[in-house]
């Protein structure tokens, strides 16, 4: 009897709490955008973060891009071969990478590689009261710590996605043309005939910019909002990866529905 | 010293990213055939465009000479008006005919231009008068079945009177 209202109130508390967090996340994003002037004037701050989140993610992006492209080449060949259209392998590999897999898989990797690192870093700064110490010294922690990480993520993400796509196409080429022996000219010419610069490549870039925006916002907010304990940081890091992965997939659906409606 | 080293890697990363974007545009995409050369628009009315899409290729003798830029329904004649954007370097006589063809058995549809013999060339705003609609598979099959069906009783009817008159 007693547990019944407890459950209801706990659900209600959860809902109210998540609305509360959504509101403060929106306010946080507004503050980051508003106060990021300093980080653009001191560009070195952004550079350091591009190194931490972009350059250090490069290896995992390149390796997984290569393997995703090679798997696409193998699987695509198996299916296309039954219809005698293995010449279109290049189209299949390039379109699936440029439109979907490039931005989405690169964003998922970026969220778990760089997003979690950002959350842990900012969370630890908060726990050890470095952020408060900055405020005491009249240094704005949002402008000095948060904004450079935000813009570094937004800059790095489309570049990483583009690298992922091109390496993936190369992986598909390796398997399709070099290993299996699909005709070299047909592979490239059909790909070039089917992939449109504005409809496919540019939309992929737009997607990855949006994902970069979402991942860094979630990662920074979780870190900034983390409970200042060891357990709080671990929870915040987990939440960053889970929430940003879900956000990426949901945003991808919405963006795809907008972009490829009439095609 | 440490800072300069880091900058080098960031520079390399940004360079690689832009090289990848450029590669996607040039090698994977069709930016290289994306010319800003002058084009001219010609219209053509079709009874039925089948599944012709905007951006479908326009071919003459198998060579791509332009793209379909717009398709709309003309509510006066109840026909489809297709706007053909042709590359400025290709000029066609005024009595050129347009037909909607299919590449392969089930492939995409394109507009095929067959050059005529007029001395004047097509210019922006002109209309292609001789057009041939897309072949709709269902119509073809039903026509075939109808012909078959109308053939069958005819031979029967032709046979029965002869049988009746013979004895």
């Amino acid at each position: 009897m007693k547990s019944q209202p407890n459950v209801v109130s706990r659900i209600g508390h959860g809902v109210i709490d998540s609305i509360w967090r959504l509101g403060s996340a929106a306010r946080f994003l507004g503050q980051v955008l508003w106060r990021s002037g300093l980080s653009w004037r001191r560009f070195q701050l952004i550079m350091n973060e591009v190194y931490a989140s972009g350059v250090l993610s490069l290896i995992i992006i390149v390796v997984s891009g290569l393997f995703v492209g090679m798997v696409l080449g193998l699987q695509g060949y198996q299916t296309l071969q039954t219809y005698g259209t293995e010449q279109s392998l290049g189209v299949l590999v390039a379109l699936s990478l440029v439109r979907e897999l490039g931005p989405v898989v690169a964003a998922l990797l970026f969220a778990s590689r760089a997003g979690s690192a950002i959350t842990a870093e900012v969370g630890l700064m908060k726990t050890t009261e470095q952020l408060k110490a900055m405020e005491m010294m009249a240094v704005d922690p949002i402008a000095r710590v948060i904004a450079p990480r935000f813009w570094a993520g937004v800059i790095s993400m489309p570049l990483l996605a583009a690298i992922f796509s091109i390496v993936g196409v190369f992986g598909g080429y390796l398997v399709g043309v070099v290993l299996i022996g699909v005709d070299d000219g047909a592979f490239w010419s059909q790909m070039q005939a089917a992939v449109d610069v504005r409809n496919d490549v540019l939309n992929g870039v737009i997607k990855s910019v949006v994902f970069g925006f979402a991942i860094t916002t979630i990662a920074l907010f979780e870190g900034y909002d983390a409970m200042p304990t060891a357990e709080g940081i671990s929870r915040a890091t987990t939440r960053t990866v889970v929430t940003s992965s879900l956000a990426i997939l949901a945003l991808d659906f919405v963006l795809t529905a907008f972009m490829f409606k009439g095609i | 010293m440490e800072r300069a080293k880091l900058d080098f890697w960031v520079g390399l990363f940004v360079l690689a990213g832009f090289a990848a974007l450029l590669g996607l545009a040039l090698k994977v995409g069709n930016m290289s055939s994306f010319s800003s050369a002058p084009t001219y628009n010609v219209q053509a009315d079709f009874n039925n465009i089948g599944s012709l899409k905007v951006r479908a290729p326009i071919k003459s003798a198998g060579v791509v000479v332009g793209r379909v830029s717009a398709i709309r329904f003309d509510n006066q004649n109840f026909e489809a008006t297709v706007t053909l954007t042709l590359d400025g370097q290709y000029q066609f006589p005024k009595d050129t005919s347009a037909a909607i063809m299919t590449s392969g058995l089930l492939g995409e549809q394109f507009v095929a231009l067959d050059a005529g013999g007029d001395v004047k060339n097509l210019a922006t705003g002109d209309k292609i008068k001789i057009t041939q609609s897309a072949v709709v598979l269902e119509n073809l099959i039903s026509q075939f079945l109808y012909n078959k069906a109308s053939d069958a009783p005819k031979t029967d009817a032709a046979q029965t009177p002869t049988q009746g008159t013979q004895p």
Side-chain angles (χ1 to χ4, degrees):
Chain A
M1 271 316 252
K2 211 187 168 195
S3 73
Q4 201 74 2
N6 227 342
V7 170
V8 173
S9 72
R10 216 183 292 165
I11 292 172
H13 188 264
V15 170
I16 289 170
D17 193 48
S18 47
I19 292 173
W20 200 280
R21 284 173 60 82
L22 192 66
S24 46
R27 198 161 59 92
F28 176 75
L29 176 64
Q31 278 185 341
V32 171
L33 292 179
W34 183 248
R35 299 194 208 164
S36 52
L38 172 84
S39 57
W40 284 105
R41 279 198 301 278
R42 290 177 63 187
F43 199 69
Q44 192 65 43
L45 292 175
I46 295 184
M47 288 278 256
N48 292 349
E49 297 310 322
V50 169
Y51 181 80
S53 59
V55 177
L56 295 182
S57 307
L58 209 52
I59 293 173
I60 188 175
I61 290 286
V62 167
V63 172
S64 30
L66 191 67
F67 279 110
V68 166
M70 292 198 316
V71 167
L72 271 178
L74 273 180
Q75 291 280 12
Y77 181 77
Q78 295 291 338
T79 311
L80 291 175
Q81 183 208 25
T82 50
Y83 301 100
T85 52
E86 62 267 21
Q87 313 260 304
S88 327
L89 187 65
V91 180
L92 183 133
V93 171
L95 277 187
S96 28
L97 276 167
V98 169
R99 282 186 179 179
E100 288 297 330
L101 289 176
V104 171
V105 178
L108 291 174
L109 291 170
F110 186 76
S112 38
R113 163 70 185 71
S116 58
I118 289 174
T119 306
E121 202 180 356
V122 175
L124 195 69
M125 278 185 176
K126 189 189 179 188
T127 310
T128 52
E129 300 192 325
Q130 293 180 40
L131 297 181
K132 275 204 182 116
M134 277 185 186
E135 265 176 47
M136 293 291 285
M137 293 186 288
V139 176
D140 185 0
I142 287 192
R144 176 66 180 76
V145 174
I146 307 288
R149 285 171 172 75
F150 176 79
W151 288 111
V154 174
I155 292 170
S156 307
M157 193 51 237
L159 299 177
L160 288 173
I163 292 172
F164 187 96
S165 298
I166 200 94
V167 172
V169 169
F170 179 69
Y173 169 81
L174 273 187
V175 166
V177 176
V178 178
L179 205 67
I180 298 177
V182 175
D183 183 50
D184 187 36
F187 184 87
W188 290 113
S189 69
Q190 293 216 6
M191 184 193 296
Q192 284 164 4
V195 177
D196 187 68
V197 173
R198 197 166 50 86
N199 279 336
D200 300 320
V201 177
L202 191 66
N203 277 350
V205 172
I206 292 172
K207 269 187 183 178
S208 52
V209 171
V210 173
F211 295 158
F213 219 83
I215 295 167
T216 42
T217 307
I218 291 169
L220 288 168
F221 177 70
E222 291 290 358
Y224 197 74
D225 192 54
M227 259 195 304
T229 56
E231 195 199 354
I233 295 175
S234 102
R235 269 196 201 170
T237 315
T238 312
R239 259 208 310 259
T240 296
V241 176
V242 173
T243 316
S244 44
S245 304
L246 287 177
I248 290 162
L249 296 173
L251 278 173
D252 181 49
F253 172 72
V254 174
L255 289 174
T256 307
F258 269 111
M259 288 169 174
F260 302 109
K261 195 165 46 178
I263 302 170
Chain B
M1 218 44 200
E2 181 63 27
R3 188 151 279 192
K5 200 172 150 192
L6 188 147
D7 286 359
F8 172 74
W9 288 111
V10 172
L12 212 62
F13 166 64
V14 173
L15 206 67
F18 278 104
L21 277 178
L22 205 70
L24 284 179
L26 292 177
K27 185 76 181 163
V28 178
N30 50 1
M31 190 69 129
S32 37
S33 65
F34 200 72
S35 56
S36 54
T39 56
Y40 60 101
N41 289 338
V42 176
Q43 312 239 312
D45 289 342
F46 292 95
N47 284 324
N48 191 334
I49 59 162
S51 59
L52 189 76
K53 299 253 163 58
V54 174
R55 286 198 50 75
I58 301 165
K59 296 182 184 178
S60 186
V63 180
V64 177
V65 294
R67 302 242 166 225
V68 172
S69 57
I71 297 172
R72 65 186 178 79
F73 184 67
D74 181 3
N75 213 0
Q76 306 288 295
N77 307 322
F78 303 106
E79 283 185 326
T81 304
V82 176
T83 307
L84 312 172
T85 302
L86 296 166
D87 204 326
Q89 59 175 312
Y90 304 114
Q91 299 291 333
F92 289 93
K94 260 201 159 41
D95 57 346
T96 295
S97 65
I100 296 178
M101 304 272 199
T102 311
S103 53
L105 196 60
L106 300 164
E108 57 169 349
Q109 289 191 305
F110 63 95
V111 178
L113 291 185
D114 211 354
D118 204 313
V119 279
K120 276 190 192 158
N121 281 339
L122 283 171
T124 298
D126 281 356
K127 200 157 225 177
I128 294 181
K129 303 227 167 51
I130 314 161
T131 62
Q132 188 191 324
S133 289
V135 174
V136 180
L137 210 59
E138 285 88 339
N139 289 354
L140 209 67
I141 292 171
S142 69
Q143 221 163 39
F144 176 73
L145 288 178
Y146 182 78
N147 284 349
K148 266 279 179 226
S150 60
D151 277 359
K154 221 178 248 171
T155 50
D156 275 3
Q159 271 172 6
T160 35
T162 50
Q163 269 176 356
T165 48
Q166 238 174 13

